[in-house]
Amino acid sequence: MTAIDIAGAAVRVVAAYLVVGAVFAGWFVTTGAGRLDPAAAKGSVGFRLLITPGAMTLWPVLLWKSVRAPHPMPQSPDHTP
């Protein structure tokens, strides 16, 4: 294996990581962030755009936290917390 082969393989691994991260970020910014922080569920489009690059890069950590997060209990409209 030459240095070019190793560099090409590294580029493919990083590209695959970011593709998976982009797919995950799409889910995370629409619904996943709200599971981790209820205030994030009400975030604006600007907020969602700001967290997208971080979600793409840190997707393994955020996926782990999302899986381990407790599922919010649905509340009836007449019930106030």
Side-chain angles (χ1 to χ4, degrees), residues 1-64:
M1 262 176 114
T2 66
I4 297 294
D5 294 335
I6 294 171
V11 167
R12 285 190 292 278
V13 167
V14 170
Y17 182 88
L18 290 177
V19 166
V20 172
V23 171
F24 174 80
W27 170 79
F28 185 77
V29 300
T30 55
T31 58
R35 289 181 64 191
L36 295 179
D37 184 3
K42 300 176 184 102
S44 66
V45 173
F47 166 74
R48 294 177 194 283
L49 287 174
L50 282 173
I51 67 170
T52 299
M56 281 180 65
T57 351
L58 299 173
W59 70 265
V61 174
L62 295 173
L63 178 62
W64 178 255

